[in-house]
Amino acid sequence: MAREFQRGHKAKVSDLTAGTDLYVGVQIAGPGLTFDISCFGLDANEQLSDDRYFVFFNQPKSPEESIQLLGAQAGDTESFRVTLDRVPASIHKLSFTATIDGAGQMSQIGPGHIRIVAGGEEVVRYAFTGAEFTTERAVMLGDFYLKDVWRFAAVGQGFDGGLDALLKNFGGEVAEEEQPQQQAPAAGAPGFAPPPQAAAPAPSFGAPAPAPQAPAPAPSFGAPAPAPAPAAPQPPQYQQPAAPAPVHAAPTMAAPLAPPAPAPYGQPPQQPSYGQVPGQYPGQVPPPAPAPGGYGQQPSYGQVPGQMPGQVPGQQPGYAPQAAAPGAGLAAALQPYKEAPTGTRWTPQNQQLMRVDLSMGGQAVLARQGSMVLYQGKVDFSYKGAGFAGRIVGNATGQEMQLMRCTGRGQVFLAENGAHLHAIELQGDAICVSAENVLAFDESLQHEVRRIEGHGIPGGALFTMQFQGTGTVIVKTHGVPVVLPVTPTTFADSNAIVAWSAASQVILSSQVRLRRNAYPGHSGETVNLQFRGAPGNFIVVQPYEV
């Protein structure tokens, strides 16, 4: 339930939500008034020392895209995406402001608000009305500020001088006034913005969809759709610059599957949770089944982990092979193997091939060197070094990853030795994966080497990689894995374990055999790991020993 703030209320962001990828929505309107809603990135002296961090209609994002202007959506006059863990160290405050463009006073506005949404749920709201103001023409609504940790404050402080006074307060200079650009035709919300339909999955940073007044289909990424008719007159808004046309058009579908609705970056449609159906094709509508649980839920009995409901055993997901009619020709024979439909950032083409669309999400991908098998569009590949300290740690722990950095606007297809690939979505949580089992991941994810508790494990298997944050990591396995919930009696072979929830406690089993075939009749098993943790924790094991 959202916390209701009054003017002057403050709180740590960590007390409001565990996530750092946030949606900030501002709703403000008044009869005959037009508003400019902006975000100022300020330094330790609360000055705009770098004008690249003045995010407004004519500069819709900061250089590293930690602050992005999204436009009007979900009932908000303007909205932003704020990724706090990507804000540079020189920025200590993000101030969200609203100014009147033209004549008018803030006392004329109706009920409005500034709100923060995380994981599709509103966590805090500061509501205000015109009765709180008099002759002000600019107002600071709310701030994120860094004081040991990130905090949020409801400000509600106004300036009579409008935008000029606001800029001078932040140490900026008022440039020569430019004529406002002609408003472009209304376009759909960005592809990763919160969808307007309540039935769509909630994005990691998006606002929950409002009660549908005039339902409209979700817009396709890169293809503007007509904006729905507003329920009430809204003041004209500056139009966010249209995204460039995608380099790669949607491919021909191989089977009569409906293309998945575009989803916000970081959340593929109907993304399976660990313990539900690993490897399920995103966007596929399964037959009626109990609602999937969170991480660690055990698959239903009789259902093969990694197999889509109703899928014929051995059939690859991502396409639906159909027998070609006799004499149908070459095109019909190749139809079952056509590229899977686009619409999400990460899309499995089959169990062994993954495609990432770099034009969605606006961030780079780090992939294992040599894993690229095909790319389309303008894509740049560069070496991603770990640095001297990183190489030392990697060599000492066995968790070194030779990576390449993929940037640009295009699609990259990744695979390695026919391994099964699984897209694991993180929404501020963490997962432990051996570096050997990592194929690629979003650069936004934090990753570090983590030591497994316990005394010496043979073979140097003392360490693993921990990934945390908001983004996707592609895990590769030999064969279809199984996901099991962690219980006090859960043991796994250290050579077969692939991943586990970061909150699990890992210790050595007391029944360890230190050598294979140490004596006749030996079981042949090497080190076993015991997992413990609260309900909801899980492990992933592959049917193969490294």
Side-chain angles (χ1 to χ4, degrees), residues 106-504:
M106 285 294 175
S107 59
Q108 299 173 259
I109 65 174
H113 65 251
I114 180 172
R115 61 174 179 163
I116 300 175
V117 177
E121 296 182 3
E122 185 176 316
V123 296
V124 67
R125 174 186 291 247
Y126 164 44
F128 52 83
T129 65
E132 299 180 33
F133 309 104
T134 54
T135 59
E136 296 93 334
R137 299 184 59 248
V139 61
M140 295 186 297
L141 300 173
D143 295 342
F144 286 109
Y145 65 99
L146 190 60
K147 186 178 180 182
D148 300 326
V149 295
W150 282 105
R151 304 165 189 257
F152 177 76
V155 181
Q157 178 182 346
F159 297 85
D160 288 348
L163 180 60
D164 292 359
L166 193 63
L167 284 170
K168 291 178 180 178
N169 178 69
F170 291 141
E173 297 180 359
V174 181
E176 182 180 354
E177 185 176 359
E178 299 179 357
Q179 294 295 328
Q181 299 179 357
Q182 183 178 0
Q183 185 171 355
F192 54 82
Q197 301 182 14
S204 61
F205 61 90
Q213 297 176 355
S220 300
F221 182 84
Q234 297 289 336
Q237 299 297 320
Y238 285 100
Q239 183 66 30
Q240 183 178 357
V247 178
H248 176 56
T252 304
M253 295 176 58
L257 298 176
Y265 156 66
Q267 182 168 349
Q270 301 181 6
Q271 177 70 25
S273 301
Y274 260 123
Q276 183 193 354
V277 186
Q280 178 173 314
Y281 176 74
Q284 180 186 10
V285 180
Y295 285 122
Q297 178 179 338
Q298 190 170 6
S300 303
Y301 283 106
Q303 178 180 340
V304 179
Q307 179 175 307
M308 297 182 291
Q311 177 187 348
V312 178
Q315 175 179 312
Q316 305 288 340
Y319 63 91
Q322 299 177 359
L330 180 61
L334 297 179
Q335 182 69 15
Y337 310 102
K338 289 292 185 67
E339 182 182 359
T342 186
T344 59
R345 178 170 166 86
W346 294 92
T347 307
Q349 303 301 296
N350 50 53
Q351 286 184 330
Q352 291 86 23
L353 186 64
M354 183 72 65
R355 182 189 67 209
V356 57
D357 192 338
L358 298 176
S359 61
M360 301 181 67
Q363 62 177 306
V365 165
L366 300 180
R368 188 177 293 273
Q369 290 184 18
S371 62
M372 186 277 293
V373 297
L374 166 71
Y375 74 91
Q376 298 169 310
K378 182 174 176 59
V379 180
D380 295 324
F381 299 91
S382 60
Y383 172 72
K384 174 64 175 178
F388 178 76
R391 290 196 301 270
I392 294 297
V393 172
N395 291 331
T397 62
Q399 298 298 309
E400 183 179 12
M401 293 187 291
Q402 299 294 330
L403 300 173
M404 61 181 179
R405 190 170 186 263
C406 311
T407 57
R409 296 189 62 84
Q411 295 75 36
V412 180
F413 293 74
L414 303 171
E416 186 174 75
N417 298 331
H420 287 216
L421 305 180
H422 313 272
I424 309 304
E425 184 67 25
L426 299 180
Q427 301 290 345
D429 42 0
I431 187 173
C432 294
V433 188
S434 172
E436 177 66 24
N437 295 97
V438 176
L439 181 71
F441 55 93
D442 287 322
E443 193 176 38
S444 60
L445 290 176
Q446 302 173 6
H447 60 285
E448 62 181 356
V449 177
R450 178 179 175 182
R451 185 180 188 276
I452 299 176
E453 297 179 5
H455 302 288
I457 302 177
L462 280 166
F463 302 89
T464 185
M465 294 297 298
Q466 177 174 301
F467 292 84
Q468 187 170 13
T470 300
T472 300
V473 55
I474 306 302
V475 175
K476 59 189 183 78
T477 64
H478 292 272
V480 179
V482 62
V483 181
L484 295 173
V486 170
T487 69
T489 58
T490 300
F491 299 83
D493 191 318
S494 62
N495 289 318
I497 189 73
V498 173
W500 61 86
S501 51
S504 301

Side-chain angles (χ1 to χ4, degrees), residues 49-68:
S49 56
D50 188 343
D51 57 8
R52 296 178 302 167
Y53 289 89
F54 177 28
V55 177
F56 64 115
F57 69 94
N58 206 31
Q59 185 168 268
K61 59 184 178 181
S62 60
E64 73 296 325
E65 300 185 355
S66 62
I67 314 165
Q68 301 178 44

